[in-house]
Amino acid sequence: MNVRPRINRWTESRRDLIFSSSIKSSLVQPHFVVEGDGVDKEISSMPGIKRQSVDILLKTIRSDMEIGITSHMLFAVIDSHQKDGKATIASSDKMHLQDAVRRLKEEYGDKIVIMTDVCLCTATDHGHCGIIDHDHRISNDATIDELCKIALSHAKAGADYVSASDMMDGRINSIRQALEQNGYTSTGIMSYSVKYASAFYGPFRDAADSSPEFGDRNSHQMDYRSGYEEAILESMEDQNEGADILMIKPAIAYLDVVRKVKDKVYRPVAVYNVSGEYSMIMNSFDGKSRDSVIIEILNSFKRAGADVIVSYHSRDILSRNLLG
Ligand code: PBG
């Protein structure tokens, strides 16, 4: 089975995230998770966002849950000595990210929605999102095998949605089959369906230590000069392959694409308000004018058609109840 519409209805927290029309329930807070104990380190390019070890992350998420942030996206940040050419560590059940997922699920069960990033770039020594073949190209199908292993390991830990951010062709189909064959029939897939090769990801790559050592991501992430047809094709393809949520990324510079895609697809649409967009606002505005700008932007995501909004601003805005 490729499409299981019940996945998005599985828990009340998933239904609230996806089907409620309010901005507040659409928000997802991203987190960067490192190994160790007591780590709570500012990321200089992303004011207010930190790298945290699992013990501190649990405290952060406890206070997030109290202010009504129930959806969380986790990214693993990995020590360079643990990286290799195949991102082997990323699919280890013993990794700190999987540990975080298990502990959060133990504590909050169905009350929390956990999304995990499924990509190779934070765990490869060359920083690319895939397996590099002999002529320095990213091998699509070899990469998919590794993505399936990572997705399965996250599903086993209890992730609600595995979020494929790699942009290999056909990976949603393979991940869906892997989940089905292993009995994970209520685990969702959030696909980064329309992900442009964007300069707006710069601060994230500092935070996640995932910059490519050579070359760029242009052979898999989308060309920002490409038209709506390409965006619609990618989204329809992922919809058919079994994605439960289709994402467009970045957000602010691509709201026209969000609307075009939303008008064509039958699955919920997410936007990722990415690191560069976040830093731009944080560095340009202060106080009340910053709040107003953020709220204006969040409204623009809704208007464009976003059902789900992944944003680093979530905590700041909800902690002061600025959405009413
Ligand atoms: C991993 C990934 C990236 C982002 C999310 N998942 C970086 C990239 O593609 O280089 C970017 C998120 C952000 O900028 O906030 N592939």
Side-chain angles (χ1 to χ4, degrees), residues 75 117 119 121 129 165-166 192 195 200-201 204-205 210 217 221 249 272-276 312:
F75 291 94
D117 190 64
C119 189
C121 64
C129 305
S165 67
D166 56 288
Y192 289 61
K195 178 173 180 179
F200 281 103
Y201 308 150
F204 173 97
R205 292 182 191 167
S210 65
R217 307 223 200 280
Q221 298 183 351
K249 172 185 175 190
Y272 198 137
N273 180 205
V274 299
S275 57
Y312 301 98

Side-chain angles (χ1 to χ4, degrees), residues 37-309:
D37 255 323
V39 185
D40 193 14
K41 208 162 176 276
E42 295 277 354
I43 299 160
S44 58
S45 52
M46 299 180 70
I49 304 296
K50 293 173 168 183
R51 289 175 169 187
Q52 298 185 317
S53 51
V54 178
D55 54 331
I56 307 289
L57 175 82
L58 294 177
K59 291 185 187 151
T60 302
I61 290 187
R62 174 164 309 146
S63 86
D64 286 349
M65 296 290 283
E66 280 162 13
I67 59 166
I69 306 177
T70 49
S71 300
H72 301 271
M73 166 97 103
L74 306 187
F75 291 94
V77 184
I78 296 168
D79 284 349
S80 51
H81 72 272
Q82 291 189 306
K83 300 186 184 194
D84 63 18
K86 291 181 73 180
T88 312
I89 183 85
S91 55
S92 161
D93 295 337
K94 297 198 192 92
M95 226 215 352
H96 56 287
L97 183 99
Q98 283 81 335
D99 185 36
V101 175
R102 271 191 299 272
R103 291 170 67 178
L104 287 165
K105 273 288 160 187
E106 247 165 53
E107 188 158 350
Y108 300 105
D110 285 352
K111 292 196 172 67
I112 194 168
V113 180
I114 301 180
M115 300 162 156
T116 53
D117 190 64
V118 174
C119 189
L120 270 56
C121 64
T122 60
T124 49
D125 49 14
H126 43 66
H128 278 288
C129 305
I131 305 289
I132 306 288
D133 68 14
H134 49 273
D135 58 354
H136 270 198
R137 294 193 182 268
I138 295 179
S139 161
N140 196 84
D141 299 3
T143 300
I144 289 182
D145 293 342
E146 298 307 314
L147 292 168
C148 288
K149 289 185 206 158
I150 299 172
L152 276 180
S153 167
H154 293 180
K156 188 170 168 197
D160 287 272
Y161 290 89
V162 291
S163 307
S165 67
D166 56 288
M167 290 301 280
M168 293 302 112
D169 294 335
R171 89 279 204 213
I172 300 302
N173 186 54
S174 301
I175 293 173
R176 173 60 70 212
Q177 295 317 316
L179 293 174
E180 289 281 321
Q181 282 156 18
N182 288 276
Y184 297 109
T185 52
S186 61
T187 308
I189 304 175
M190 176 157 79
S191 174
Y192 289 61
S193 300
V194 183
K195 178 173 180 179
Y196 291 94
S198 168
F200 281 103
Y201 308 150
F204 173 97
R205 292 182 191 167
D206 293 344
D209 189 21
S210 65
S211 293
E213 296 263 297
F214 55 87
D216 52 39
R217 307 223 200 280
N218 296 352
S219 83
H220 46 110
Q221 298 183 351
M222 288 165 63
D223 191 318
Y224 54 76
R225 298 168 300 182
S226 60
Y228 298 134
E229 295 82 358
E230 185 101 351
I232 292 166
L233 171 82
E234 286 278 8
S235 321
M236 300 282 267
E237 183 60 30
D238 287 356
Q239 170 174 285
N240 295 337
E241 289 182 26
D244 302 281
I245 304 175
L246 306 167
M247 187 199 279
I248 289 133
K249 172 185 175 190
I252 298 174
Y254 298 90
L255 289 180
D256 55 329
V257 178
V258 176
R259 173 45 61 192
K260 287 282 180 190
V261 167
K262 176 72 182 171
D263 286 344
K264 289 279 183 201
V265 298
Y266 299 106
R267 302 319 314 269
V269 167
V271 290
Y272 198 137
N273 180 205
V274 299
S275 57
E277 299 175 325
Y278 173 79
S279 301
M280 198 164 70
I281 302 298
M282 297 304 281
N283 291 324
S284 309
F285 300 94
D286 268 323
K288 281 216 164 60
S289 56
R290 181 193 287 168
D291 292 344
S292 305
V293 168
I294 297 169
I295 288 172
E296 193 173 330
I297 290 170
L298 295 177
N299 275 275
S300 78
F301 297 157
K302 265 285 161 207
R303 188 174 60 239
D307 300 291
V308 170
I309 300 169

